[in-house]
Amino acid sequence: MRLVSTSGHAAPVSFGEALFRGLAPDGGLFMPERLSPLSAGEIDGLRGAGAIRCGLAVARHLLGDELEDEVLESAVREALGFPLPLVPLGPRMHVLELFHGPTLAFKDVGARFMGCLMSRLQRSGPPLTVMVATSGDTGGAVAHAFLGLPRTRVVVLFPEGQVSERQQRQFTTLGDQVLAVAVAGAFDDCQRLVKAMFRDPDARKALALTSANSINIGRLLPQIFYYFHAWARLNRHEPLVFSVPSGNFGNLAAGLMARELGLPAAALVTATNANDVVPEYLRTGFYEPRASVRTLSSAMDVGAPSNLARILALFDGDLARLRGCLSGSAWSDADTKKAMRRVFDEHGYILDPHTAVGWLALEQALAGRPDAHGVVLATAHPAKFEDIVEEAIGSSVPVPEGLAAGATKPSRFRRIPPSLGELKHVVMGWAGA
Ligand SMILES: *Cc1c(COP(=O)(O)O)cnc(C)c1O
């Protein structure tokens, strides 16, 4: 597979190069130059298959020309190395639980695939230093993904006082391989510092720097696997609709790519909170990015989603064709709370606020398609947002063991003002560079 930039001004590169570069040199995002579908026989052969077999089929189809099978297999097993249950709730609705990884959010799948491949494909030289800015969930997922991998270390920058205690513990309690840096500023300052570090000649010379933000194609491709897994596990012949709680639109881009690869999905629905620039674009044809607003489903508070560029590239900017398989809807915080309450009362099932938004969009979509079945991607465990959920459902949320265990480990991080000089000093000192 060769990858090209969504901005269209960079020469095609191999997957390995795109993985370590993160962003294309012209500032665009890497996308496969072409996506040819799996054969109908291959796809039909996946009916009833488990997640790993589906993941391997897709991974070999996409990357088999470049990566050895043994490398691919270890990355797929790493990415999908926890249960991915498909829970039926009512006759036509299903919840695909993607939150049984170490940080209890779907981002574990992409981060672990990327981590495994980066560690396997790194060249000789200094150990790999992975830098990531986080507003909450990404830091934990990336730090956990690299934990224990040889010759790698992780630096997580976060805005001091602006991530939840539980999120912060997921990347400040992991020991020497992970350096957590609290920046006196906002998430945007963290992101700016990471970018400045990449441009800094001293830092580049001393550290093999790479980025693990969600625009990395290595995090996106493995998200295709679980769409195939859900379809194969469901193993039905009725039309299938996927609902995707969306923020930066990586998960949705992966779903649309799965469809290009031949996944028999009748349609996808993008579900957003009040940050609804994409549903609005689908409705009106006008795309107007704007500053994000804060909502209960905070991981989806994105006003200018990066991965929309990938979606438009996939459809050559043809809105009519995109509308043929994608619809969207947006939901308020009040809707979200009511949905959590109603699903708990009717099914005894606890949705997190992000998945609740997806649930609402799926209900609406299925109401217009009496023949179809639906799957909502459950992107986070409800215990990650226990205060919001408990208030909404009026009952306590059981906390999984891993999350509870993290609460007792010592938390360590460094504090800096939002300055490149300070960041360099702390990182180079820590890395012994
Ligand atoms: C990151 C995240 C999302 C949004 O996913 P995108 O791929 O950025 O659209 C949704 N829910 C949760 C819980 C997340 O952490």
Side-chain angles (χ1 to χ4, degrees), residues 78-156:
E78 192 64 30
L80 305 176
F82 38 82
L84 298 155
L86 186 66
V87 180
L89 292 184
R92 297 195 292 140
M93 303 270 284
H94 308 262
V95 178
L96 180 64
E97 294 185 348
L98 301 172
F99 52 68
H100 295 284
T103 70
L104 306 184
F106 81 94
K107 290 186 174 71
D108 283 325
V109 173
R112 285 157 68 95
F113 188 80
M114 183 188 64
C116 180
L117 285 182
M118 278 187 174
S119 132
R120 296 292 303 263
L121 302 179
Q122 69 176 315
R123 307 189 176 110
S124 53
L128 197 62
T129 302
V130 181
M131 288 200 70
V132 65
T134 188
S135 59
D137 277 345
T138 299
V142 169
H144 275 269
F146 282 88
L147 206 61
L149 293 179
R151 299 187 60 243
T152 62
R153 51 196 175 201
V154 179
V155 181
V156 180

Side-chain angles (χ1 to χ4, degrees), residues 140-297:
V142 169
H144 275 269
F146 282 88
L147 206 61
L149 293 179
R151 299 187 60 243
T152 62
R153 51 196 175 201
V154 179
V155 181
V156 180
L157 271 68
F158 66 103
E160 178 152 25
Q162 293 185 36
V163 307
S164 80
E165 173 69 20
R166 197 150 259 173
Q167 286 172 324
Q168 188 167 322
R169 297 200 70 84
Q170 288 186 327
F171 54 81
T172 58
T173 59
L174 302 179
D176 295 340
Q177 202 184 345
V178 179
L179 172 68
V181 181
V183 176
F187 170 66
D188 289 336
D189 296 306
C190 300
Q191 213 158 22
R192 189 172 47 73
L193 283 173
V194 170
K195 286 187 184 149
M197 195 76 171
F198 274 83
R199 283 193 305 268
D200 185 88
D202 305 337
R204 293 202 10 193
K205 217 163 108 193
L207 309 160
L209 279 181
T210 192
S211 144
N213 276 97
S214 69
I215 45 168
N216 194 306
I217 190 75
R219 279 180 59 181
L220 192 73
L221 294 184
Q223 295 176 201
I224 296 171
F225 304 163
Y226 44 67
Y227 287 91
F228 277 90
H229 159 62
W231 170 81
R233 176 57 52 88
L234 205 57
N235 195 5
R236 303 190 67 99
H237 290 273
E238 293 90 345
L240 183 57
V241 178
F242 281 94
S243 172
V244 187
S246 301
N248 217 4
F249 285 78
N251 232 349
L252 184 72
L256 291 167
M257 287 165 76
R259 210 168 165 277
E260 293 290 298
L261 290 172
L263 176 76
L268 283 89
V269 185
T270 176
T272 72
N273 55 32
N275 297 284
D276 63 347
V277 292
V278 174
E280 189 180 278
Y281 166 67
L282 288 169
R283 201 174 59 246
T284 65
F286 293 102
Y287 174 58
E288 289 175 18
R290 48 181 171 255
S292 63
V293 297
R294 295 187 71 150
T295 73
L296 293 179
S297 43

